[in-house]
Amino acid sequence: MTSTKNHFATNLLQLQNRIKRDPSSYKDEFSQTYLNYESTLQAYLMKPAKQNKQLADLALFLSHVSHCFPDELKQYPQQLIDILKRYATVLNPDMRLTFCKCLMLLRSKNLIEPKPLFEIFFVLIKSQDKQLRKNLFEFMLNDVKKIKTKQKNYKLCSQVQQYVFTLTKENHPLVAKYSLNLLIDLYKKQIWNDAKTVNVISQCCFSKITKVLALALQFFAGKDVEKEAESESESEDEKTTQQVLLGLRVGKKTKSRKKRTDRALKSINKDKKKKKKNDGLPHFSALNLIYDPQDFAEKLFKLVETTNEGFEIKISILELISRLIGIHQLFLNNFHHFLIRFLNPHQREVTKILWFSAISSHELTPPDTVEPTLMAIANNFITERNSTEVIAVGLNAIREICDRCPLAMQEDLLGDLVQYKTYKDKAVSSAAKSLIQLFREKNPQMLHRKMRGKPTEESITEGAKIRQYGEFDAKSYIPGAEIIDLDNQEKKETEKTIKIEESDDEEGGEWVESESEDEKPKKRKHSEDDEDESSEGEWVDVSSDGEDDVDNSEQDQTKLMSLAEKEERAQKISTERILTQEEFKKIKIEQMKKKITDKNFDKKSKNRTIKIDSDLDEDEERLKNNGLVPLSSITYINKKKAHDKESRMARVKEGREGRDKFGHRFKDSRLGKTNKEKLKTKSFQMLRPKLNKKHKRSFKEKQMALKSSLLKQKKMK
């Protein structure tokens, strides 16, 4: 018996395994080990700066078996916390990390509350040990996630959340930074994604600690969308169901492999359900959850005027203010005057400052406050002494500002800017033409008569209604809904129900889906995949060919209707029906068509085919920026992109799709044979003159032929 005890004293892992299996049988061995731990600990605390491997092994052993003897180890967690509090700065780094691991094990067995554990961990974060800080932060992050998602203990989670909120106001830079990092990571993981968390983070924008200030500003600068990119990268690494089943089919079939495959399929299905569930949840931007955005923007503007921080911090504050103004449509009149001092082509980050001017302009911004900004951009950027890129960027910035606040533009200034449409550089002329196109839609009366273009269908209906400051044109119907054929749809539904009832009588009460004659697939009908592909940057055909007689009749009827009749029809369709996604897409294309078609548009003319580029990259970028204009719309310059070999080959392969292989011929009786096939059936007498001609070459001809072949081989090398 004594030899067994001595063996366990030297082999703690074996004793740990035995105790977990049968705690009561090894209680004496545990008591002896616990006494050994206490004596070793008292000796170690005399010199805590040294490492003691025996004490580290004993502490980890007690943490692993603590759930087997909860009464004997009742004071053990508090003892470890007291040691770390008292000797936090003088403890050996390895021993300090070991004691922290022991506390983590106790927390995983739910033998210690999270709040006292977080308190001691944030005390240890002050220490100059980077690896320890990293381990503690990861544990706290995972522990809060476990409390919220698995245990669903919301009361405990709110207590921890309140404690972390108080730590963000600490004067110690490491504690404030790590507490803020914890809040940001938990918000991105949608654990603490409520308005209270966002407003606590917003208060960190006024912190005197530069790192905390920069971290909070970076969070509000739209970086909370990183979650989507992370989830996409994770999904790319995961195996699909087809790959898992293929692995089982190819390899040797054993019971263990079958079990592993079943587990993999189960996890894939679980991830799919989880992803489907999360897709339905709305993910609001952090800027939409701020309690008082007007007060927050005013405080930030006061901060940027008085702060002594670096230029990068000032740019981040200006970006946050401009985002707040654009999203919530705030009034901060001095902001545009403050930006004018930075509107210089040689200014650092000048494109971002132009972007701030654009996104901080909205419909309710007074035109008097935006007008000096337009004049400053025109005087400093759009001049002959600047390069063509500077002029193009200036014109793009003015176009984006006028898109949100068209009343700020003066007629004289617009007349000067549109003259750049004949500029020799393509980038400048394209930017000027885009400005002309904008005012053709917003206010064509400001343009010269020859620049207003042909009157389109939209300009006739909407052009006369030039909105004044603060005016909003709200419609009680969906514009363009008049193209939906209401009667034809009702007729299809009634025919379908009649056929279903007939099949119901024949088959004894079972519901059977059937198609009417009108619902048979047409030649130009696309599948759902094709629609998805066409919505991602392909060309959408707006015109109706001769095959679609129904669409032609519908569009001819809508063309013959007056404006009042169209509104009445759109009102009826909008109130009586629930439109499908295909119908919304059809309405959108029709509205885009109205912008580019002439009022005297003839369906039978040669120019009836109109194609609209439905590239949605810019729309997706606007969606990520909460509907604000993307930076690329200002910095984009219409120049030829790099035409390397990869891009050329990609375009060549794209053109080959849906086309037969070059030189390939169908095996059809009606088609003739190739010359190679004909040569095989020809008689030798017909080929003899050709062969004799080759054999009867002179020596000089052979020399020339050899020379040309050698030169050709040399060129090939």
Side-chain angles (χ1 to χ4, degrees):
M1 188 70 181
T2 54
S3 61
T4 308
K5 288 185 178 180
N6 292 333
H7 174 69
F8 283 145
T10 55
N11 195 348
L12 291 174
L13 289 175
Q14 190 174 358
L15 179 60
Q16 174 184 320
N17 186 24
R18 297 284 180 88
I19 288 174
K20 284 182 178 179
R21 292 182 179 183
D22 190 4
S24 58
S25 302
Y26 294 93
K27 192 171 183 180
D28 296 336
E29 286 82 356
F30 167 74
S31 302
Q32 186 180 357
T33 309
Y34 185 59
L35 290 172
N36 187 16
Y37 161 75
E38 287 185 337
S39 60
T40 309
L41 179 64
Q42 289 176 2
Y44 172 73
L45 292 178
M46 302 296 292
K47 295 180 180 178
K50 292 185 178 180
Q51 186 180 4
N52 191 331
K53 193 173 184 306
Q54 184 184 1
L55 179 62
D57 294 340
L58 288 168
L60 287 170
F61 165 76
L62 292 176
S63 300
H64 278 289
V65 300
S66 56
H67 63 285
C68 300
F69 305 100
D71 296 332
E72 288 81 356
L73 295 175
K74 193 174 183 180
Q75 302 298 326
Y76 177 64
Q78 189 60 40
Q79 187 184 28
L80 290 175
I81 291 172
D82 294 338
I83 291 169
L84 289 171
K85 276 184 181 178
R86 188 174 179 182
Y87 303 101
T89 55
V90 296
L91 270 176
N92 181 270
D94 295 333
M95 293 301 296
R96 186 168 51 204
L97 183 60
T98 303
F99 289 145
C100 290
K101 286 181 179 179
C102 294
L103 287 173
M104 292 176 191
L105 283 169
L106 293 170
R107 174 67 195 126
S108 65
K109 299 176 188 302
N110 208 14
L111 296 173
I112 184 173
E113 292 295 320
K115 191 175 178 182
L117 187 65
F118 278 42
E119 288 176 359
I120 185 60
F121 280 178
F122 274 105
V123 170
L124 294 173
I125 275 176
K126 298 177 183 178
S127 61
Q128 299 298 320
D129 190 347
K130 193 173 182 180
Q131 185 62 37
L132 177 67
R133 293 199 300 267
K134 184 181 177 183
N135 292 340
L136 295 179
F137 179 77
E138 288 178 357
F139 174 78
M140 287 188 287
L141 188 68
N142 294 325
D143 191 40
V144 174
K145 187 178 178 182
K146 185 179 176 183
I147 293 169
K148 181 76 179 287
T149 56
K150 292 185 178 179
Q151 298 179 1
K152 298 190 184 301
N153 193 341
Y154 299 109
K155 185 178 179 181
L156 182 63
C157 191
S158 63
Q159 290 176 0
V160 176
Q161 187 180 17
Q162 195 62 38
Y163 174 68
V164 177
F165 286 167
T166 58
L167 291 173
T168 56
K169 300 175 184 177
E170 285 283 332
N171 293 325
H172 198 281
L174 286 174
V175 174
K177 182 190 171 187
Y178 274 90
S179 59
L180 179 59
N181 253 329
L182 188 64
L183 291 177
I184 291 172
D185 285 1
L186 288 170
Y187 177 84
K188 289 179 182 178
K189 293 180 182 294
Q190 292 191 344
I191 306 297
W192 289 347
N193 57 347
D194 53 344
K196 194 174 182 181
T197 305
V198 173
N199 284 275
V200 169
I201 297 173
S202 68
Q203 296 304 313
C204 296
C205 294
F206 307 105
S207 175
K208 294 181 180 179
I209 304 166
T210 307
K211 288 187 177 180
V212 175
L213 171 62
L215 196 62
L217 292 171
Q218 188 182 15
F219 168 73
F220 283 112
K223 300 293 188 293
D224 56 321
V225 192
E226 290 176 359
K227 176 185 156 292
E228 298 173 5
E230 290 173 5
S231 63
E232 287 175 3
S233 62
E234 288 173 4
S235 63
E236 287 175 1
D237 299 335
E238 292 175 357
K239 288 186 177 180
T240 60
T241 309
Q242 191 176 2
Q243 289 173 341
V244 172
L245 292 173
L246 183 65
L248 178 66
R249 191 182 70 187
V250 171
K252 188 178 179 182
K253 295 173 180 61
T254 58
K255 287 184 179 180
S256 59
R257 289 197 68 199
K258 183 74 168 59
K259 287 179 181 177
R260 283 202 301 270
T261 307
D262 292 340
R263 283 198 298 268
L265 291 172
K266 194 175 180 181
S267 65
I268 288 170
N269 293 330
K270 189 177 178 182
D271 292 340
K272 283 181 181 177
K273 287 180 182 178
K274 189 177 179 183
K275 189 179 179 183
K276 190 175 180 181
K277 186 179 178 182
N278 291 336
D279 286 345
L281 296 173
H283 181 66
F284 296 105
S285 174
L287 291 174
N288 293 321
L289 300 175
I290 292 174
Y291 290 146
D292 190 357
Q294 179 70 38
D295 183 56
F296 184 45
E298 289 174 358
K299 287 181 179 178
L300 284 171
F301 186 59
K302 187 177 179 181
L303 175 66
V304 79
E305 286 181 324
T306 57
T307 187
N308 293 324
E309 298 289 347
F311 183 73
E312 292 83 1
I313 299 293
K314 286 185 178 180
I315 286 290
S316 300
I317 298 172
L318 289 173
E319 182 179 356
L320 178 54
I321 296 170
S322 57
R323 281 176 179 272
L324 282 167
I325 295 171
I327 292 171
H328 297 280
Q329 294 190 346
L330 307 178
F331 291 93
L332 203 65
N333 297 333
N334 295 331
F335 181 68
H336 287 276
H337 293 286
F338 181 79
L339 290 178
I340 289 174
R341 68 180 74 174
F342 300 106
L343 294 176
N344 197 309
H346 302 289
Q347 173 66 42
R348 189 173 156 199
E349 300 284 354
V350 69
T351 52
K352 279 193 174 183
I353 295 166
L354 289 169
W355 181 49
F356 301 158
S357 302
I359 62 177
S360 60
S361 304
H362 51 84
E363 293 178 351
L364 299 178
T365 306
D368 299 338
T369 61
V370 184
E371 188 179 336
T373 306
L374 295 178
M375 292 300 299
I377 296 171
N379 294 332
N380 296 335
F381 288 82
I382 310 170
T383 56
E384 295 292 336
R385 65 177 181 272
N386 291 329
S387 63
T388 56
E389 288 85 357
V390 175
I391 299 172
V393 167
L395 286 168
N396 287 339
I398 288 179
R399 182 195 68 228
E400 294 300 335
I401 293 172
C402 292
D403 189 16
R404 282 144 195 80
C405 191
L407 297 174
M409 175 62 74
Q410 293 181 354
E411 192 170 351
D412 297 336
L413 178 60
L414 180 62
D416 294 338
L417 295 178
V418 297
Q419 298 301 322
Y420 281 93
K421 70 169 188 170
T422 57
Y423 199 76
K424 58 184 178 181
D425 189 73
K426 180 74 178 293
V428 179
S429 62
S430 298
K433 288 173 184 176
S434 66
L435 185 64
I436 294 170
Q437 184 61 33
L438 173 69
F439 275 92
R440 281 177 181 173
E441 298 174 6
K442 296 288 182 183
N443 191 355
Q445 302 298 327
M446 293 186 70
L447 292 169
H448 193 270
R449 188 173 179 180
K450 66 179 181 180
M451 291 185 182
R452 293 174 191 173
K454 293 181 180 180
T456 60
E457 210 173 331
E458 188 189 40
S459 65
I460 294 168
T461 56
E462 303 291 337
K465 303 175 185 177
I466 299 170
R467 288 190 289 172
Q468 299 302 318
Y469 174 71
E471 184 182 354
F472 185 72
D473 185 17
K475 289 183 172 57
S476 59
Y477 60 90
I478 300 171
E482 65 272 2
I483 64 167
I484 306 298
D485 189 7
L486 186 62
D487 299 331
N488 192 20
Q489 186 72 19
E490 290 176 356
K491 189 178 176 182
K492 286 180 182 179
E493 289 176 0
T494 53
E495 288 180 3
K496 190 172 182 180
T497 52
I498 289 167
K499 289 206 170 189
I500 290 171
E501 287 174 2
E502 290 175 359
S503 62
D504 186 14
D505 296 335
E506 292 173 3
E507 299 181 12
E510 294 183 358
W511 287 90
V512 180
E513 292 184 2
S514 62
E515 291 183 352
S516 62
E517 294 178 359
D518 296 334
E519 289 180 318
K520 289 181 181 178
K522 299 178 183 178
K523 293 181 181 178
R524 293 180 59 82
K525 187 171 180 180
H526 299 284
S527 63
E528 293 178 0
D529 298 335
D530 294 335
E531 287 174 4
D532 293 338
E533 290 173 4
S534 66
S535 64
E536 293 175 1
E538 295 186 359
W539 291 83
V540 177
D541 195 355
V542 178
S543 69
S544 56
D545 297 338
E547 300 169 354
D548 302 328
D549 298 331
V550 178
D551 292 342
N552 275 334
S553 62
E554 291 173 18
Q555 292 178 1
D556 290 338
Q557 287 174 8
T558 54
K559 186 184 173 183
L560 294 171
M561 285 191 297
S562 63
L563 182 60
E565 290 175 349
K566 284 183 179 180
E567 288 184 4
E568 185 181 353
R569 182 182 171 86
Q571 178 82 28
K572 185 180 179 182
I573 292 171
S574 303
T575 53
E576 293 183 2
R577 285 198 54 219
I578 298 174
L579 302 181
T580 62
Q581 290 298 324
E582 293 179 359
E583 289 170 340
F584 275 116
K585 187 179 178 182
K586 191 176 179 182
I587 290 169
K588 185 180 177 183
I589 291 174
E590 188 67 22
Q591 292 297 102
M592 294 169 73
K593 179 182 168 183
K594 286 180 182 178
K595 294 182 181 180
I596 58 176
T597 54
D598 190 4
K599 67 172 182 176
N600 299 319
F601 182 69
D602 187 8
K603 303 285 180 186
K604 297 179 180 178
S605 63
K606 293 181 180 179
N607 298 325
R608 71 178 189 278
T609 302
I610 299 169
K611 291 186 176 181
I612 296 171
D613 190 7
S614 60
D615 194 359
L616 300 178
D617 291 342
E618 189 174 346
D619 294 340
E620 290 176 1
E621 201 168 350
R622 283 176 188 268
L623 188 63
K624 289 181 181 179
N625 289 320
N626 297 300
L628 301 176
V629 55
L631 179 61
S632 58
S633 62
I634 293 175
T635 57
Y636 174 72
I637 297 171
N638 191 4
K639 278 192 169 184
K640 238 181 196 178
K641 295 180 180 178
H643 202 55
D644 53 351
K645 186 177 179 181
E646 292 180 1
S647 63
R648 289 201 309 271
M649 289 303 298
R651 293 190 65 183
V652 167
K653 288 178 181 178
E654 186 180 350
R656 287 176 182 171
E657 290 178 0
R659 198 176 66 185
D660 296 329
K661 190 177 178 182
F662 178 74
H664 177 72
R665 302 186 65 138
F666 291 103
K667 295 295 181 183
D668 196 345
S669 59
R670 292 174 296 176
L671 298 176
K673 296 180 180 180
T674 60
N675 289 334
K676 204 169 186 179
E677 290 173 344
K678 289 176 182 176
L679 192 66
K680 293 177 182 178
T681 57
K682 281 184 180 180
S683 64
F684 182 72
Q685 297 297 330
M686 296 173 68
L687 299 174
R688 176 181 272 181
K690 191 175 182 180
L691 296 172
N692 289 339
K693 189 177 180 182
K694 283 186 179 179
H695 287 299
K696 290 181 180 179
R697 288 185 301 176
S698 64
F699 181 74
K700 184 70 175 175
E701 288 175 346
K702 289 180 182 178
Q703 265 189 332
M704 295 297 291
L706 179 63
K707 185 178 180 181
S708 62
S709 66
L710 290 173
L711 288 171
K712 193 181 289 184
Q713 289 177 7
K714 189 176 181 182
K715 286 180 182 178
M716 293 296 288
K717 291 179 183 179

